[in-house]
């Protein structure tokens, strides 16, 4: 056992004295030491129930013969952090979570781990740590929130942000907004659409690191507590069989995840996180691979914000395994990949049933023949840019219009809400990338304002920042190289004509190469926005969005 290094032999007598100080019995010291990484806190609605999940995992581990030991991981609520300096601290926590979990796991020589994440950066951060530490590990999330109800219709957090835009456009009263405010987030859990948190929890299930239901069982269901107990028991089985994260998170498993990303219509943030997790597992993939998979993977689900369905609907329809079985029928999944169940993907999904062909479209009747994510390239984004095309209206799949250029999110929001953005415009928000932000803020406020004001069918937005999974419309992010390093997005001028062609994967500004070269020669870098603290260190180490915004010594 790995934990023998801190428990057995005369040399470890001081260590045992400290275990005694914890109140641990001699019998407990003889059992495998299982770390339970709890992301519980009282500021994130998706994490307020994790104390109950943690206790259920503890019971499961103990019942299966392990000694459970809880330690914490941090988590930021993206919704509360949105639209101010707090959003600079969201993406950056992914690496803090990975680093701190690695430190705790190796410093105390745990034999196995159960990870309990729920919200946006928490899930990929813990997956990165699992790949690094590579001891038997099982994930169990806190589960999604139930949808809210306003005027007899299901609603979610994206509806709330759009209501603010509708109020600015005079389409809603303050009383209308208050009705949304009090009803769109009715329970604990990760917000109820296919936003980043739920995307990553579903993809954890696809990767094989979580049990069936990890991504979809609602937070308030008793089935979620049962799942947590099962996760605690299953990690002991993984330990007995020596099934480790890198046995599960293989290249083929990531191809499965990227394929299912297309079928589910996940958040564009998955295109930041999957490459970063894969890198920790020992290999890299190019973002353009998404287009290759998208061309042959149908989009089967339209969950909020792309459509009228919610996570609870996907759960009732059969969950992730049911979607996987539809896609497997097309021969698009690697079915022999190992999972934490001790079975292969093919064995896991063999008995899955699609109970609602409206929520999970059959493979022969998809929402679209191509997947939910597209990677664009062109003279604005020589490396890559990313769009959630399943949430783009048909009339905006091809668009051309004048650039309205802003060097920060706040200026863009003022212009949108002030009525300065008009039909046909292409809003450009730059210097919000991983380095330029720093921290690559989400642009949910501007996209929601555009949608709430009824402009999502005529106005596009491009940025070197990123988007919440709650964003919809022609919202193109992750433009690489970013403005802060002199990427072409820094050279766009007010009124330049921007051409967007999502079906052909193109993003271009109609300016000659010669003119762009002249602008590049005249360009000078901006001074860093933050010069102290963690953000300053992050800015110096973070890579481009097309590399997953991972940290490297540069």
């Amino acid at each position: 056992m790995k934990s023998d290094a801190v428990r057995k032999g005369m040399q470890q007598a001081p260590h045992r004295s400290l275990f005694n100080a914890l109140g641990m019995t001699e019998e407990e010291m003889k059992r495998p030491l299982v770390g339970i990484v709890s992301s519980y806190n009282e500021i994130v609605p998706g994490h307020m129930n994790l104390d109950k999940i943690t206790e259920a995992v503890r019971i499961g581990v103990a019942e299966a013969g392990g000694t459970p030991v809880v330690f914490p991981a941090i988590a930021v609520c993206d919704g509360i952090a949105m639209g101010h300096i707090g959003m600079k601290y969201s993406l950056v926590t992914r690496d803090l979570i990975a680093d701190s979990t690695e430190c705790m796991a190796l410093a105390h020589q745990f034999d196995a781990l159960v990870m309990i994440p729920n919200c946006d950066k928490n899930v990929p951060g813990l997956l990165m740590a699992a790949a690094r530490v590579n001891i038997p590990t099982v994930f169990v999330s806190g589960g999604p929130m139930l949808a809210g109800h306003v005027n007899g219709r299901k609603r979610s957090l994206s509806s709330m942000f759009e209501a603010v835009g509708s109020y600015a456009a005079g389409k809603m009263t303050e009383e209308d907004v208050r009705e949304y405010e009090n009803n769109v987030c009715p329970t604990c859990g990760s917000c109820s659409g296919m936003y980043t948190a739920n995307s990553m929890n579903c993809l954890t299930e696809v990767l094989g690191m979580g049990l069936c239901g990890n991504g979809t069982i609602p937070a308030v269901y008793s089935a979620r507590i049962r799942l947590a107990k099962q996760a605690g028991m299953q990690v002991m089985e993984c330990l007995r069989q020596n099934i480790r994260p890198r046995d599960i998170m293989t290249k083929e498993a990531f191809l499965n995840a990227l394929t299912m990303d297309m079928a589910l219509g996940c958040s564009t943030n998955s295109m930041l996180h999957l490459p970063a997790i894969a890198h920790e597992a020992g290999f890299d993939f190019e973002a353009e691979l998404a287009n290759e998979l998208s061309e042959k993977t149908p989009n089967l689900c339209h969950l909020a914000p792309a459509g009228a369905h919610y996570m609870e609907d996907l759960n009732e329809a059969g969950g992730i395994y049911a979607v996987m079985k539809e896609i497997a029928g097309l021969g698009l999944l690697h079915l022999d990949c190992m999972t934490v169940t001790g079975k292969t993907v093919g064995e896991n999904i063999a008995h899955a049933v699609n109970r609602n062909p409206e929520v999970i479209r059959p493979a022969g009747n998809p929402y679209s023949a191509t997947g939910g994510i597209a990677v664009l390239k062109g003279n604005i984004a020589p490396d890559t840019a990313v769009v959630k095309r399943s949430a783009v209206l048909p009339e905006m799949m091809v668009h051309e219009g004048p650039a309205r250029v802003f060097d920060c999110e706040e200026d863009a929001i003022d212009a949108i809400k002030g009525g300065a953005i008009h039909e046909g415009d292409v809003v450009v928000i730059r210097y919000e990338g991983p380095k330029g932000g720093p921290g690559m803020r989400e642009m949910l406020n501007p996209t929601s304002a555009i949608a709430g004001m009824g402009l999502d069918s005529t106005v596009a937005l491009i940025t070197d920042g990123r988007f919440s999974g709650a964003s919809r419309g022609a919202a193109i992010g992750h433009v690489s190289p970013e403005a802060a390093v002199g990427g072409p997005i820094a050279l766009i001028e007010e009124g330049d004509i921007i051409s967007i062609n999502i079906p052909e994967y193109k993003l271009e500004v109609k300016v000659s190469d010669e003119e762009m070269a002249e602008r590049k020669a005249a360009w000078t870098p901006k001074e860093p926005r933050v010069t102290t603290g963690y953000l300053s260190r992050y800015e110096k180490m973070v890579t481009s969005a097309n590399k997953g915004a991972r940290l490297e010594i540069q």
Side-chain angles (χ1 to χ4, degrees):
M1 285 289 175
K2 193 178 184 71
S3 61
D4 288 352
V6 295
R7 297 182 308 166
K8 287 190 175 180
M10 183 55 65
Q11 192 68 28
Q12 280 66 43
H15 305 69
R16 290 193 295 275
S17 72
L18 293 169
F19 283 116
N20 285 331
L22 291 169
M24 197 174 286
T25 65
E26 198 170 317
E27 290 77 13
E28 286 175 305
M29 285 188 229
K30 292 177 181 177
R31 298 172 189 152
L33 202 60
V34 180
I36 301 175
V37 189
S38 174
S39 304
Y40 169 76
N41 66 44
E42 295 183 342
I43 190 62
V44 185
H47 290 230
M48 63 180 287
N49 65 319
L50 297 191
D51 55 341
K52 295 176 177 60
I53 301 296
T54 300
E55 185 55 32
V57 171
R58 283 175 59 94
I59 291 170
V61 169
E63 283 185 352
T67 297
V69 180
V70 178
F71 64 88
I74 64 168
V76 164
C77 177
D78 276 22
I80 294 173
M82 195 71 65
H84 55 88
I85 191 173
M87 182 44 65
K88 294 178 185 288
Y89 286 91
S90 172
L91 178 60
V92 306
T93 64
R94 184 188 71 184
D95 298 272
L96 280 175
I97 291 162
D99 292 348
S100 58
T101 303
E102 173 195 355
C103 290
M104 289 293 288
L106 295 181
H108 301 102
Q109 294 291 286
F110 288 105
D111 297 305
L113 297 168
V114 179
M115 307 288 202
I116 308 177
N118 211 27
C119 291
D120 294 39
K121 312 313 164 301
N122 203 245
V123 187
L126 290 178
L127 283 166
M128 289 164 69
R132 281 187 206 171
V133 175
N134 199 35
I135 59 175
T137 301
V138 175
F139 276 67
V140 57
S141 75
M145 185 184 290
L146 294 178
H149 291 81
V150 180
N151 298 325
R153 296 180 63 187
K154 285 186 177 180
R155 297 294 188 188
S156 63
L157 185 65
S158 55
S159 309
M160 182 71 254
F161 276 91
E162 290 177 16
V164 176
S166 296
Y167 174 78
K171 296 180 178 182
M172 274 192 182
T173 66
E174 188 173 342
E175 186 176 330
D176 292 333
V177 175
R178 184 59 61 89
E179 182 72 12
Y180 274 71
E181 186 179 326
N182 289 331
N183 292 288
V184 297
C185 295
T187 71
C188 61
S190 48
C191 295
S192 55
M194 189 56 84
Y195 310 147
T196 306
N198 291 325
S199 295
M200 292 309 303
N201 282 323
C202 290
L203 294 182
T204 297
E205 196 172 328
V206 176
L207 280 170
M209 290 298 295
L211 300 177
C212 181
N214 179 72
T216 61
I217 297 172
V220 294
Y221 283 13
S222 298
R224 176 61 59 178
I225 299 296
R226 294 198 298 272
L227 185 71
K229 291 177 182 176
Q230 290 163 357
M233 291 185 280
Q234 190 59 36
V235 79
M236 296 302 297
E237 187 59 33
C238 289
L239 181 59
R240 279 188 280 273
Q241 296 186 40
N242 196 29
I243 299 173
R244 298 168 181 254
R246 291 194 187 184
D247 301 325
I248 295 168
M249 290 193 284
T250 61
K251 183 176 182 179
E252 290 74 21
F254 280 97
L255 291 174
N256 284 349
L258 199 51
T259 298
M260 288 299 297
D261 189 319
M262 300 301 159
L264 291 164
C266 292
S267 163
T268 51
N269 281 314
S270 61
M271 293 303 297
L272 281 176
H273 300 321
L274 287 176
I277 301 162
H279 181 75
E280 296 292 350
F283 55 88
D284 297 324
F285 64 78
E286 298 297 324
E288 294 94 318
L289 180 60
N291 291 343
E292 179 185 331
L293 294 177
S294 180
E295 284 296 328
K296 55 187 178 184
T297 307
N299 178 225
L300 305 185
C301 299
H302 264 196
L303 278 71
H309 300 139
Y310 294 82
M311 294 305 296
E312 62 202 66
D313 302 316
L314 179 58
N315 186 64
E316 291 166 12
I320 300 306
Y321 280 13
V323 187
M324 291 179 76
K325 191 169 184 180
E326 292 284 354
I327 296 299
L330 300 175
L332 298 179
L333 293 182
H334 297 272
L335 300 179
D336 56 350
C337 292
M338 180 51 62
T339 72
V340 292
T341 66
K343 299 177 181 178
T344 65
V345 168
E347 290 172 321
N348 285 342
I349 68 174
H351 302 294
V353 176
N354 182 353
R355 300 188 183 93
N356 189 333
E358 286 302 311
V359 176
I360 304 172
R361 289 278 186 93
N365 181 35
Y367 282 101
S368 66
T370 52
I373 298 287
V375 174
L376 312 183
K377 296 185 80 169
N379 65 351
I380 294 175
D383 291 339
T384 54
V386 179
V387 63
K388 185 175 181 176
R389 66 172 159 190
S390 61
V392 179
L393 292 171
E395 56 267 39
M396 289 299 291
M397 296 295 281
V398 177
H399 179 77
E400 195 169 282
R404 305 300 309 280
V405 182
F406 304 93
D407 286 352
C408 67
E409 177 190 8
E410 288 82 359
D411 290 349
I413 292 171
D414 288 344
I416 295 165
K417 292 185 176 179
I421 303 302
H422 308 292
E423 291 187 4
D425 286 349
V426 178
V427 177
V428 178
I429 306 177
R430 61 195 183 188
Y431 294 100
E432 290 286 5
K435 287 184 178 294
M440 203 179 184
R441 289 193 290 182
E442 289 182 342
M443 300 293 136
L444 179 57
N445 273 348
T447 57
S448 297
I450 288 169
M453 297 175 80
L455 294 172
D456 56 313
S457 62
T458 59
V459 171
L461 190 153
I462 68 173
T463 180
D464 54 6
R466 61 194 179 91
F467 296 106
S468 164
S471 288
R472 63 184 176 95
I476 300 166
H478 306 195
V479 170
S480 302
E482 63 175 291
V485 298
I489 191 172
L491 311 179
I492 297 172
E493 295 182 358
E494 187 81 7
D496 285 349
I497 300 301
I498 304 289
S499 175
I500 299 166
N501 191 321
I502 295 172
E504 294 185 7
Y505 306 116
K506 292 180 179 177
L507 178 63
E508 297 178 333
V509 57
K510 292 196 166 182
V511 174
S512 69
D513 292 345
E514 293 76 14
E515 172 66 18
M516 290 294 277
E518 289 179 13
R519 293 181 186 181
K520 175 67 174 178
W523 177 82
T524 55
K526 289 184 178 291
E527 290 295 318
R529 286 173 168 160
V530 180
T531 57
T532 59
Y534 180 61
L535 285 180
S536 179
R537 297 197 301 276
Y538 182 88
E539 182 269 333
K540 291 177 176 63
M541 295 180 68
V542 69
T543 60
S544 177
N546 70 309
K547 293 184 176 180
R550 64 179 187 262
L551 301 186
E552 291 181 353
I553 297 173
Q554 297 179 46

